[in-house]
Amino acid sequence: MSAPNWVTIGTVDDIPPMGARRVVVGMRTIGIFRTETNEIFAIEDTCPHKKGPLSNGIIHGDCVTCPLHNWVISLKTGEAQGADDGATETFPVRVSDTGSIELDIAKPKWAHPFRRPRKPCSNCPASVKKCAPPVPIAVSAAGSLQASTTREMS
């Protein structure tokens, strides 16, 4: 794993308690969640069941309930809770002393558009010669957490 590359994407105040925002990085959408106790988590914004947008779900404790079929997903591990089976990807996130939210974009699997959770890059299609490097996150002038970037595959 490469060295951390922390990028500021906004502040804790940008997300209401028990709320969420989305950040688009390349071809991935990451949900940034704030719990009632002000903990911040980052997970892929896709339910492992039917690909529902987890950032539109209800946050309770350290879990989020998918708005489509009520699957409960742990914000800490990305694992489905109860009798449900599946997981969504989690991402390194931290809060600075000033309240800025930072994501580590150096995590290698971020750059891989064909990657499915829990599978290594060696499973990518033969048409992909190598993974693209991690891409920076651009935050809008208004400080919005809805950043997006583009990149090319080689």
Side-chain angles (χ1 to χ4, degrees), residues 47-49 65-66 69-73 79-87:
C47 180
H49 177 226
T65 298
C66 179
H69 300 101
N70 296 323
W71 273 40
V72 177
I73 307 297
E79 301 285 331
Q81 304 296 290
D84 298 324
D85 185 32

Side-chain angles (χ1 to χ4, degrees), residues 75-95:
L75 294 171
K76 290 183 178 181
T77 66
E79 301 285 331
Q81 304 296 290
D84 298 324
D85 185 32
T88 190
E89 187 131 18
T90 61
F91 298 93
V93 64
R94 69 182 183 190
V95 178

Side-chain angles (χ1 to χ4, degrees), residues 47-119:
C47 180
H49 177 226
K50 296 285 186 181
K51 310 299 180 209
L54 294 174
S55 62
N56 291 341
I58 297 171
I59 299 167
H60 46 96
D62 61 357
C63 293
V64 61
T65 298
C66 179
L68 296 185
H69 300 101
N70 296 323
W71 273 40
V72 177
I73 307 297
S74 168
L75 294 171
K76 290 183 178 181
T77 66
E79 301 285 331
Q81 304 296 290
D84 298 324
D85 185 32
T88 190
E89 187 131 18
T90 61
F91 298 93
V93 64
R94 69 182 183 190
V95 178
S96 72
D97 293 339
T98 61
S100 295
I101 300 172
E102 300 173 346
L103 287 176
D104 179 3
I105 63 169
K107 193 172 184 181
K109 53 190 157 186
W110 275 48
H112 202 297
F114 299 107
R115 188 184 181 290
R116 298 199 189 294
R118 314 283 186 245
K119 294 192 179 181

Side-chain angles (χ1 to χ4, degrees), residues 18-63:
M18 298 175 62
R21 296 293 183 263
R22 291 182 286 170
V23 175
V24 177
V25 179
M27 299 176 84
R28 307 284 297 272
T29 302
I30 311 302
I32 310 298
F33 297 83
R34 180 178 175 187
T35 67
E36 187 174 24
T37 59
N38 293 319
E39 290 180 279
I40 302 294
F41 295 97
I43 64 173
E44 189 164 17
D45 193 31
T46 305
C47 180
H49 177 226
K50 296 285 186 181
K51 310 299 180 209
L54 294 174
S55 62
N56 291 341
I58 297 171
I59 299 167
H60 46 96
D62 61 357
C63 293

